[in-house]
Amino acid sequence: MNYTTQMDAAKKGIITKEMEIVAKKEQIDVQALRELIAKGQVVIPANKNHKSLSPEGIGKGMKTKINVNLGISKDCYFIEKEMEKVKKAIEMKAESIMDLSNYGKTAEFRKNLVEYSPAIIGTVPIYDAIGFYDKELDEITAKEFLDVVEKHAKDGADFVTIHAGLNKEAADTFKRNKRLTNIVSRGGSLLFAWMEVNNKENPFYEYYDRLLDICEEYDVTLSLGDGCRPGCNADSTDAVQIKELITLGELTLRAWERNVQVIIEGPGHMTLDEIKTNVLLEKKLCHDAPFYVLGPLVTDIAPGYDHITSAIGGAIAAAAGADFLCYVTPAEHLRLPNIEDMKEGIISTKIAAHAGDLAKGINGARELDDAMSKARSDLDWDMMFKLALDSEKPKRYREESMPEHSDTCTMCGKMCAVRNMNKVLKEKEIDIFNNK
């Protein structure tokens, strides 16, 4: 039986090879997975032209996945350095990489990325449009915007971020409701400017059916972008954010009618007490489609440490039901991250994702923590390093400060609680003061 997309296959009762791989990774029944995909509650972003892909499931009952942003820009046009980041992100087991390139040989970089990467590849076509056509924003036509989406689809992007919910109604709502930081989404701000200058509807909203044609042809997952996401705590959960979210829910149903998989992108800044409510709103208004959040950052006063503010919010969001976390690095709001920033961002976001998985009771999550606890109880340092999200840093810390006795560390020495409990329970001498 033929099928066009993963969702189409799932609705027809077909088990694809991608479903089989994901079911094995997630330790769940493949038929149960197929049913979740048919309902739109799980997506497997898998472009037909991405041949090196190792597929992943995002959504209900799946491990919380993380995304790494990278890409070339006019100020930092270093393709080789960005490919180094790609290799490091894959080495660190990031499930998804978003190419946010917006200048120069973007197609060349994207092609290399798709050919090399087993991770899911996402793009934001509107970022690429200005450089692709080499003309000002207001001169680009609606057809040209959609042609860039098709180019990215042909090149193998597994999902594309499209800010289709920022239509004229949402723009009018924004203009009536003043914000402290206005529109902070790069794609959202570009579309708002295009709409204002040309006095036209958002082309991705107006020609949404054409967008679905493209996604269906290549099995591109549609990541409906939050062009009106809050850029600070003061703007969170406001009228324009909710207005856009309602529209995204309507667009989700239209996509599902065409068997196009959908992810909903969520807010980037909000206080701790609003996170659970925002996850609930997305799940209700967008029919339980997978939720993808940037952070969220829970305070606005920590530039240089926003990987921490983001991880706090991400853990709470994941525990509340968010499915996909976009990493944030220490360089957020300041500059393009370097490879060390990227590593910090990946680890902090993986911690948040795993913490959420523990709270959600995801298959296999608790077993990892129990294995680490057993290694600590056994004072098995090599096993601790092997199980750690990042083995390099803990190994370096221990090597930089080696204790006199190998069954201790330099914090407690022979007063180590673990060491002494192991000894007393085995009826051995607790030799704190002698040199045994």
Side-chain angles (χ1 to χ4, degrees):
M1 191 182 296
N2 294 327
Y3 62 90
T4 56
T5 68
Q6 294 292 323
M7 177 175 257
D8 183 38
K11 288 179 180 178
K12 291 175 176 175
I14 300 170
I15 301 295
T16 67
K17 66 179 185 299
E18 290 83 6
M19 292 179 200
E20 291 175 345
I21 293 169
V22 169
K24 186 175 181 180
K25 287 182 178 182
E26 300 288 343
Q27 302 175 42
I28 66 169
D29 177 69
V30 71
Q31 287 291 351
L33 173 63
R34 181 194 62 75
E35 290 176 7
L36 290 168
I37 295 168
K39 294 176 183 176
Q41 295 174 348
V42 169
V43 300
I44 300 179
N47 188 308
K48 296 171 183 176
N49 291 338
H50 187 179
K51 305 303 183 183
S52 61
L53 177 69
S54 177
E56 298 284 353
I58 300 170
K60 188 174 183 178
M62 307 290 104
K63 291 188 286 290
T64 306
K65 306 305 187 296
I66 77 160
N67 174 70
V68 171
N69 289 338
L70 42 77
I72 52 177
S73 68
K74 187 172 183 178
D75 289 316
C76 295
Y77 188 67
F78 307 113
I79 292 178
E80 290 183 2
K81 285 188 177 181
E82 291 308 297
M83 282 306 297
E84 286 177 18
K85 291 182 189 177
V86 170
K87 293 172 183 177
K88 177 56 71 171
I90 292 168
E91 179 186 318
M92 296 179 74
K93 300 180 180 179
E95 293 92 0
S96 173
I97 294 172
M98 282 201 81
D99 174 16
L100 306 187
S101 297
N102 56 45
Y103 178 80
K105 297 179 180 179
T106 57
E108 178 185 327
F109 178 71
R110 187 167 55 250
K111 180 182 178 182
N112 291 339
L113 178 60
V114 170
E115 287 180 354
Y116 177 82
S117 175
I120 299 164
I121 300 300
T123 66
V124 190
I126 193 170
Y127 292 178
D128 193 25
I130 297 173
F132 183 80
Y133 292 113
D134 193 23
K135 57 184 180 181
E136 291 297 332
L137 176 68
D138 61 336
E139 297 173 353
I140 300 173
T141 67
K143 181 181 182 301
E144 287 173 332
F145 278 128
L146 288 159
D147 286 347
V148 172
V149 177
E150 186 166 22
K151 170 63 176 168
H152 283 221
K154 285 181 178 178
D155 288 347
D158 300 299
F159 71 98
V160 290
T161 293
I162 304 291
H163 303 86
L166 178 48
N167 57 12
K168 278 195 168 185
E169 287 185 12
D172 288 342
T173 303
F174 162 72
K175 287 185 280 189
R176 290 195 306 269
N177 294 269
K178 185 169 177 57
R179 279 180 154 189
L180 186 58
T181 54
N182 296 315
I183 293 176
V184 300
S185 160
R186 191 192 318 177
S189 65
L190 290 171
L191 274 172
F192 179 83
W194 186 92
M195 292 161 63
E196 288 289 296
V197 170
N198 291 291
N199 192 27
K200 291 183 178 180
E201 180 58 275
N202 179 342
F204 298 118
Y205 181 79
E206 184 173 5
Y207 302 105
Y208 190 64
D209 286 333
R210 172 61 187 138
L211 179 64
L212 296 179
D213 289 340
I214 297 167
C215 292
E216 184 181 23
E217 181 178 355
Y218 297 94
D219 197 1
V220 175
T221 298
L222 188 55
S223 188
L224 290 172
D226 51 340
C228 300
R229 70 173 180 264
C232 64
N233 287 337
D235 295 337
S236 63
T237 325
D238 68 352
V240 64
Q241 179 194 330
I242 303 307
K243 173 64 178 174
E244 182 184 35
L245 189 62
I246 291 169
T247 303
L248 297 185
E250 295 168 352
L251 295 174
T252 296
L253 294 180
R254 287 176 60 185
W256 287 348
E257 288 173 1
R258 296 285 302 276
N259 296 318
V260 172
Q261 301 183 103
V262 174
I263 298 169
I264 304 296
E265 297 190 9
H269 294 248
M270 66 181 58
T271 52
L272 291 169
D273 57 307
E274 294 187 17
I275 295 173
K276 186 175 181 180
T277 299
N278 270 262
V279 175
L280 176 63
L281 282 170
E282 184 275 339
K283 293 293 181 179
K284 287 284 188 180
L285 295 174
C286 297
H287 320 289
D288 216 19
F291 196 24
Y292 173 34
V293 294
L294 177 63
L297 282 66
V298 297
T299 178
D300 299 326
I301 62 167
Y305 299 90
D306 277 330
H307 60 309
I308 297 173
T309 64
S310 168
I312 294 168
I316 295 170
D323 309 288
F324 194 19
L325 305 181
C326 187
Y327 92 151
V328 173
T329 77
E332 185 76 8
H333 303 115
L334 302 171
R335 62 166 168 79
L336 191 75
N338 62 28
I339 197 164
E340 291 304 315
D341 299 327
M342 188 193 76
K343 288 167 63 177
E344 290 291 311
I346 290 173
I347 292 300
S348 60
T349 309
K350 287 180 78 72
I351 292 169
H354 183 68
D357 288 349
L358 288 170
K360 287 186 286 195
I362 296 297
N363 287 338
R366 182 60 179 269
E367 285 83 348
L368 293 170
D369 281 59
D370 289 348
M372 176 64 84
S373 297
K374 178 67 166 59
R376 283 179 171 152
S377 181
D378 294 341
L379 293 169
D380 185 342
W381 303 100
D382 289 338
M383 181 57 67
M384 288 184 231
F385 301 148
K386 181 179 179 180
L387 293 168
L389 284 175
D390 172 19
S391 63
E392 295 177 8
K393 190 172 186 178
K395 189 180 295 185
R396 173 168 58 83
Y397 274 23
R398 181 159 176 82
E399 290 173 352
E400 287 175 351
S401 185
M402 290 295 292
E404 181 181 1
H405 299 276
S406 62
D407 61 349
T408 66
C409 77
T410 54
M411 171 68 80
C412 299
K414 292 175 74 175
M415 294 180 70
C416 170
V418 176
R419 172 186 184 272
N420 292 330
M421 285 301 299
N422 287 346
K423 282 182 173 290
V424 73
L425 291 174
K426 293 178 181 178
E427 299 182 352
K428 292 184 178 181
E429 180 184 357
I430 303 177
D431 52 338
I432 294 175
F433 294 105
N434 58 42
N435 196 31
K436 293 183 181 179

